[in-house]
Amino acid sequence: MNIMGHLQQLGRSLMLPTIVLPAAAIFLCLSALPWDSFGMPSIHTHLLTAGQTLFAFLPYLFALGVAMGMTSNSVTAGLAAMAGMFIYTGIINASHYELEPTVFTGVIIGIVTSILNEKFKTIKLPEYIQFFGGPRFVPLIVSVFSTLWAIIMVQIAPSIHNALMELGDIVNSGGGFGVFLFGFVLRILVVFGLHHLVSHVFWFQVGAYQAPDGHMVFGDLPRFFAGDPMAGGFMAGLYPTMMFALPAIAFAIIHEAREDLKPKIRKTFMTAALASFLTGVTEPIEFAFLFVAPYLFVIHALLSGLMMWLTYELGVRTGFSFSAGAIDYLINEHLATRGWLIIPLGILFGLIYYVMFRWAIRRFRIPTPGREEGSQLDEWAGDIPYRAPLILQAIGGKENILQMEACITRLRLKVGSDKLIDNNALKHLGAAGVIRLGGGNVQIVFGTYSELIREEMNKAIRRDISRVLFCSPVQGRMMPLSEVPDPIFAGKLVGDGVAFMPEKGELVSPVLGKVIHVYSSMHAIGIRTPDGLEVLLHIGIDTSQLKGQGFSAVVKEGDQVKPGQLLITFDMQKIRKGSKSLATPMVITNSELVSSWSFAPFKSVKRGQASVMSVVLKERSGGGETA
């Protein structure tokens, strides 16, 4: 794995421990209620303790999360990291220095554990001590590392403590400009999924605060929840962007959509706007214009940094436990300083964004969703189990996947060959964008459905079933068979499948198989797959009467063909004039062999585009289970 691959995996791993922070924020918020008036004074203490405990054990959570995230959820690595943290904490607590484990400590132990796990999990020792070999060796070697590191840290504790204090002073000396740079870089790194690397440093390491009970707290986020009135400068400015600016972009995209596509786009982007406003999940909106207008994304990043600078200079100090959405804003407002300014600033910021994006989309004719067919970000949560096999094929099949993980908004993949990934097919199936980081490391942005997609893809990989996947035989628009203007095909009397309205006079093979029949008029062709499915491709309706005029077959009966291979060329103008319709059905004539069907969205497709249809064969003698 290359450096970018390591970094994207580390970025995802750093997110895992933060999923507990919303619980801590809720407990702290509830502890502020007047429990004495309710006759339950002890509840305040219990809730406060619950919230503070999660922050106190953050180093342990980061050690566990990073170790497991970097090793594909290895339980052994997680156990070894926790053992290492216990040893480290025990040794430094026994020293006379006031040195406490920080999140940085947890991250280091987690990273080292993942490295040692990969290196020693298969180690073989002499037979008489092989009990300690293999995975059992990992906790042992991690314990040795943690012991040595703790001893070293005790010796250099005063220097480390002072260095962290000075680092906070240096960052704070940058004032608003430093916050601006943080905000700008944070948005840019969202593109590569590496934003957690920079945010982790500022939110969990930079700056120190001595809590009332005497212990030191490091990082903007823990300091904010510990009651530091100066904390929150690296978080407050994100609220206007996520609660107002990104939803404003969504509204601009809706209002600039074509009238015929506007209802669908409105539904999709209203959902995306609500997700950004409430939870701070922004990728579905940002990726809607990132690839078609990257210069707009740079401007967006600059404006986001400027908003952070402005809130900092106005003395707004507020924070969040997970992300800068309205839910976190309401929960944590009682701890904020001048937090009320977020609302008017956000409204003004949102208006600027709305006007700017509507003008740019119209002025530069930016193909944002809804301005052309095949718009991204389709609404298809209920279809995930059916589309997962199609997504799997678009990635290059299970053989191409070396590693697959998911964070909140994207699949993070390590593939054997990124050349096998079909970008058009993935966008057709709902992906907002595909990011290639090199070395086989790929990110596919599916929004908040990413984890569900990963689960369904894993199920599809584990199932022992016979599945046949189809590519698009033409360039054009995919349509249900019922819309074909012919009662024979529409009634599925010939077989079941889909149809296409071609835009170019080329027919290619949708599957791997053998040509079993080429009609003398060359308007249709039959292919048998290795699984025994018989696929009929019929160009146009009532085209047999043309007696071959306008058609030219490139293959003959008995030829072996593969997906995307040219079969027939045809003159669209001649066929349009001499036939009832150009609608081209693709049907399985022996569909009694099929157990279940999956279809991609009925919209524009490219010739040879992967993943337009998937079928599962019925169980045969000695075969697998049916779906």
Side-chain angles (χ1 to χ4, degrees):
M1 184 182 291
N2 63 2
I3 293 177
M4 289 296 288
H6 278 298
L7 290 177
Q8 74 155 339
Q9 194 171 13
L10 177 59
R12 174 189 174 273
S13 301
L14 290 173
M15 271 299 295
L16 290 177
T18 63
I19 62 178
V20 305
L21 294 182
I26 291 172
F27 288 142
L28 292 176
C29 178
L30 293 176
S31 70
L33 295 175
W35 293 104
D36 289 346
S37 303
F38 302 153
M40 295 180 287
S42 61
I43 297 297
H44 163 77
T45 303
H46 296 327
L47 292 173
L48 186 64
T49 302
Q52 291 177 341
T53 299
L54 286 174
F55 280 104
F57 283 93
L58 265 184
Y60 298 86
L61 295 174
F62 270 89
L64 178 67
V66 171
M68 296 189 70
M70 296 287 285
T71 57
S72 300
N73 297 321
S74 168
V75 176
T76 301
L79 178 64
M82 291 300 288
M85 280 298 300
F86 287 134
I87 291 172
Y88 177 90
T89 305
I91 292 176
I92 63 172
N93 285 345
S95 69
H96 62 280
Y97 295 113
E98 293 184 359
L99 183 65
E100 298 178 2
T102 65
V103 168
F104 179 74
T105 306
V107 172
I108 292 298
I109 288 182
I111 292 174
V112 171
T113 298
S114 69
I115 295 172
L116 296 177
N117 179 77
E118 293 304 307
K119 187 175 182 62
F120 294 111
K121 65 181 179 182
T122 58
I123 190 173
K124 293 182 179 179
L125 300 175
E127 186 175 352
Y128 54 88
I129 57 171
Q130 179 55 31
F131 173 82
F132 299 104
R136 295 186 185 91
F137 190 76
V138 177
L140 179 61
I141 191 66
V142 171
S143 298
V144 172
F145 164 77
S146 296
T147 301
L148 294 175
W149 191 36
I151 292 172
I152 293 173
M153 290 298 290
V154 167
Q155 302 303 315
I156 62 175
S159 300
I160 294 294
H161 183 84
N162 293 335
L164 286 173
M165 297 285 286
E166 289 176 8
L167 178 61
D169 292 338
I170 292 172
V171 172
N172 288 330
S173 67
F177 184 70
V179 176
F180 160 76
L181 287 178
F182 167 76
F184 173 73
V185 172
L186 188 70
R187 293 259 61 80
I188 292 295
L189 290 180
V190 165
V191 177
F192 306 100
L194 303 178
H195 47 300
H196 305 308
L197 300 179
V198 67
S199 64
H200 172 271
V201 174
F202 286 87
W203 291 345
F204 294 101
Q205 296 301 321
V206 171
Y209 171 68
Q210 187 169 18
D213 61 3
H215 76 279
M216 296 298 297
V217 180
F218 294 93
D220 207 38
L221 193 150
R223 285 166 47 216
F224 174 76
F225 285 100
D228 184 357
M230 301 304 295
F234 290 95
M235 295 184 284
L238 290 174
Y239 276 109
T241 297
M242 296 183 177
M243 287 174 59
F244 297 96
L246 270 301
I249 295 175
F251 286 122
I253 290 173
I254 292 170
H255 293 151
E256 288 300 320
R258 279 171 23 192
E259 287 302 318
D260 58 324
L261 297 176
K262 190 167 290 186
K264 181 180 177 182
I265 294 300
R266 180 182 293 110
K267 179 181 178 183
T268 299
F269 277 87
M270 284 296 289
T271 300
L274 189 63
S276 179
F277 177 75
L278 291 178
T279 67
V281 175
T282 63
E283 280 95 330
I285 298 175
E286 289 178 314
F287 277 80
F289 66 91
L290 168 62
F291 296 105
V292 294
Y295 53 88
L296 265 186
F297 193 89
V298 174
I299 295 173
H300 161 56
L302 288 168
L303 288 175
S304 182
L306 287 172
M307 176 50 65
M308 294 200 69
W309 190 347
L310 179 60
T311 54
Y312 182 88
E313 295 296 345
L314 291 175
V316 181
R317 300 291 184 272
T318 186
F320 44 77
S321 58
F322 174 71
S323 191
I327 294 175
D328 251 313
Y329 175 76
L330 293 174
I331 289 175
N332 303 314
E333 205 281 329
H334 68 289
L335 296 174
T337 301
R338 308 192 77 186
W340 63 270
L341 280 174
I342 294 294
I343 303 301
L345 286 174
I347 293 173
L348 177 62
F349 204 40
L351 288 173
I352 293 172
Y353 261 71
Y354 177 78
V355 172
M356 180 185 72
F357 269 77
R358 283 206 68 175
W359 174 81
I361 291 170
R362 187 177 302 175
R363 174 67 176 80
F364 301 108
R365 298 181 180 179
I366 300 171
T368 49
R371 291 177 63 82
E372 59 179 10
E373 290 285 357
S375 298
Q376 303 168 1
L377 291 172
D378 201 11
E379 187 64 37
W380 49 276
D383 292 340
I384 288 175
Y386 304 101
R387 296 203 196 183
L390 302 176
I391 295 171
L392 186 60
Q393 183 199 15
I395 293 170
K398 63 182 181 181
E399 297 81 8
N400 195 38
I401 298 178
L402 304 180
Q403 185 177 349
M404 178 170 61
E405 297 171 336
C407 64
I408 296 169
T409 58
R410 63 189 78 192
L411 289 179
R412 297 173 183 259
L413 303 167
K414 170 75 172 178
V415 296
S417 172
D418 59 7
K419 294 181 180 178
L420 297 178
I421 294 176
D422 190 327
N423 285 20
N424 286 327
L426 288 169
K427 292 180 180 179
H428 186 62
L429 290 164
V434 179
I435 306 166
R436 300 166 190 260
L437 299 174
N441 296 286
V442 179
Q443 297 177 3
I444 307 173
V445 181
F446 278 109
T448 50
Y449 299 135
S450 297
E451 183 62 39
L452 294 176
I453 292 170
R454 184 188 70 86
E455 288 295 325
E456 291 299 330
M457 287 175 62
N458 279 331
K459 290 178 184 178
I461 291 172
R462 290 193 298 266
R463 288 194 194 108
D464 182 20
I465 57 178
S466 182
R467 186 185 301 275
V468 181
L469 298 153
F470 290 75
C471 297
S472 173
V474 298
Q475 177 175 313
R477 180 174 62 86
M478 182 174 166
M479 55 194 283
L481 204 58
S482 59
E483 293 183 7
V484 173
D486 180 84
I488 302 293
F489 283 110
K492 302 181 181 179
L493 299 181
V494 178
D496 202 354
V498 295
F500 302 85
M501 188 61 70
E503 297 174 352
K504 191 174 181 181
E506 294 178 336
L507 181 79
V508 301
S509 177
V511 290
L512 176 71
K514 177 182 179 181
V515 178
I516 58 174
H517 188 50
V518 178
Y519 286 70
S520 59
S521 56
M522 293 179 288
H523 73 288
I525 187 169
I527 300 173
R528 182 183 291 120
T529 72
D531 308 274
L533 291 180
E534 296 183 356
V535 183
L536 172 65
L537 298 162
H538 193 286
I539 303 171
I541 303 301
D542 292 343
T543 46
S544 59
Q545 62 187 6
L546 294 176
K547 302 185 184 303
Q549 295 183 25
F551 297 94
S552 177
V554 181
V555 295
K556 61 183 183 301
E557 292 180 8
D559 285 354
Q560 295 290 332
V561 293
K562 59 184 180 179
Q565 181 176 336
L566 184 63
L567 302 176
I568 297 174
T569 61
F570 53 96
D571 187 328
M572 290 185 59
Q573 295 293 345
K574 186 174 292 186
I575 295 172
R576 184 180 286 112
K577 291 179 180 179
S579 67
K580 185 177 179 180
S581 170
L582 274 172
T584 300
M586 178 178 73
V587 298
I588 298 175
T589 57
N590 56 347
S591 54
E592 66 275 4
L593 299 181
V594 176
S595 170
S596 66
W597 304 72
S598 298
F599 301 101
F602 297 107
K603 55 185 182 181
S604 296
V605 292
K606 300 292 186 182
R607 187 193 70 176
Q609 178 175 308
S611 312
V612 297
M613 185 174 81
S614 167
V615 300
V616 175
L617 302 185
K618 288 182 179 178
E619 182 180 1
R620 302 180 185 181
S621 177
E625 64 181 17
T626 59

